[in-house]
Amino acid sequence: MSLEELVEAFAQHTAAQTDAIFRGDAKTGNKHAKKRLAAFEKLRSHGDAGRDLLAVLFKHPRMDVRAMAAVYLLRHCTAEAQAVLVEISKGEGLAAFEASEALKRWEEGTWTLDPVEVAAGEGPTGQTIEPRRAPPADAEAFWNRPMKKAQLKKLPIEQLIEMTRTTSAERMRAIYAGKPKDGNRMFDLLVAIHKELRARGIEAQRQLLVLLNDPDLGTRCWTATAVMEFAPREGERVLADLARNADGLVGFSAEWALEEWKAGTLKPL
């Protein structure tokens, strides 16, 4: 692929990842994230020429694409990338959240998407050193394998409800902490629990309604979205309240779920 084609692939997979996240399709989103990283690594292999060309995405019509390009280029063209991220962070939605988180990691010194490479050869004290490379997309430590369906079937309903409460709260905290891998693993577990409750019948599902009053906003948002298929009045009430009053990703997620529900495109978990 030419450099221009790699830049286009970066943009396409960024947009596709965002669309998958809004559909609640974490698996597809992860695939596009890995393909975006692969495109960046190929651009990076061409040195600053590849990085310079990626900067054309700072003017892309999609905000999420502009933000992602700026996130990857914070070291290479710091002032320009920061300007893009600061502007996007002033808005609302997922791109604004990602922009603000990227700026925070940059200021904290924990940003590692494109570190300076150290050439292989001899170090300052004569020792042989290997080239330093950028970390892989899944640099976070892997969580344990998700709980199997057979294990969920053995749990009482009360325990499934408690797992929903704790996992939905932890998932939102993981997302805010910039740990999407952890958040995706918890998403998969929550979906598996929801399917198990559905399989046990409407009375099992209705026990979720108690979580609509949970003090954790992430739990309320997840539960309200989940109950829309069998208790739309209760779910819509909570989502509307969160959309009006909750800040950040919770408020955005609630507003998106409401819009999808009104449009008839909200898919059951």
Side-chain angles (χ1 to χ4, degrees):
M1 296 177 71
S2 67
L3 292 180
E4 290 78 9
E5 289 172 332
L6 289 171
V7 170
E8 180 60 25
F10 183 100
Q12 288 178 351
H13 289 301
T14 296
Q17 182 194 17
T18 301
D19 295 342
I21 291 172
F22 285 167
R23 295 194 305 271
D25 188 350
K27 184 177 293 185
T28 299
N30 285 341
K31 289 180 180 178
H32 285 295
K34 290 177 180 178
K35 290 180 179 179
R36 177 186 64 237
L37 181 67
F40 178 72
E41 285 299 316
K42 290 177 181 178
L43 285 167
R44 192 169 175 269
S45 69
H46 290 273
D48 287 348
R51 296 181 179 93
D52 286 342
L53 199 55
L54 186 63
V56 303
L57 296 182
F58 288 175
K59 298 185 181 297
H60 195 276
R62 283 191 58 142
M63 185 185 298
D64 54 340
V65 174
R66 297 199 303 275
M68 194 60 68
V71 168
Y72 276 75
L73 294 175
L74 271 168
R75 182 188 63 79
H76 177 62
C77 46
T78 303
E80 296 89 339
Q82 283 182 317
V84 171
L85 292 172
V86 167
E87 183 62 29
I88 293 174
S89 69
K90 295 176 182 177
E92 298 179 351
L94 185 59
F97 170 74
E98 290 176 341
S100 62
E101 288 298 307
L103 287 168
K104 185 187 302 180
R105 288 194 293 274
W106 175 258
E107 292 169 0
E108 292 172 346
T110 57
W111 178 93
T112 57
L113 284 173
D114 184 25
V116 177
E117 291 186 347
V118 179
E122 193 172 277
T125 58
Q127 75 272 26
T128 300
I129 57 175
E130 297 296 326
R132 182 181 177 187
R133 303 184 184 279
D138 298 332
E140 299 283 348
F142 284 100
W143 282 69
N144 294 327
R145 288 188 175 185
M147 185 173 287
K148 295 180 179 179
K149 292 180 181 179
Q151 293 174 289
L152 290 176
K153 290 182 181 297
K154 297 177 182 179
L155 298 178
I157 293 174
E158 293 77 10
Q159 190 167 348
L160 293 175
I161 300 301
E162 178 60 18
M163 287 176 64
T164 298
R165 184 186 70 78
T166 57
T167 306
S168 56
E170 287 298 325
R171 173 177 174 264
M172 192 57 69
R173 283 193 281 271
I175 294 172
Y176 275 118
K179 298 179 179 180
K181 188 73 177 181
D182 296 351
N184 289 340
R185 188 200 70 89
M186 292 182 226
F187 176 89
D188 291 341
L189 176 57
L190 286 164
V191 171
I193 294 171
H194 188 72
K195 289 180 178 179
E196 177 59 28
L197 289 169
R198 183 189 293 131
R200 298 191 192 190
I202 187 62
E203 290 306 315
Q205 286 181 288
R206 288 191 66 81
Q207 292 197 39
L208 282 169
L209 295 176
V210 68
L211 299 182
L212 293 177
N213 297 316
D214 193 88
D216 187 272
L217 297 181
T219 295
R220 293 214 303 272
C221 186
W222 171 269
T223 305
T225 304
V227 305
M228 291 297 284
E229 64 180 274
F230 63 86
R233 182 179 300 178
E234 293 91 333
E236 187 172 5
R237 172 180 56 79
V238 173
L239 288 174
D241 179 67
L242 291 172
R244 285 193 304 269
N245 301 311
D247 295 327
L249 190 56
V250 171
F252 173 76
S253 298
E255 184 176 0
W256 173 83
L258 275 175
E259 291 176 356
E260 291 291 298
W261 170 255
K262 293 174 181 177
T265 55
L266 183 66
K267 297 180 180 179
L269 295 173

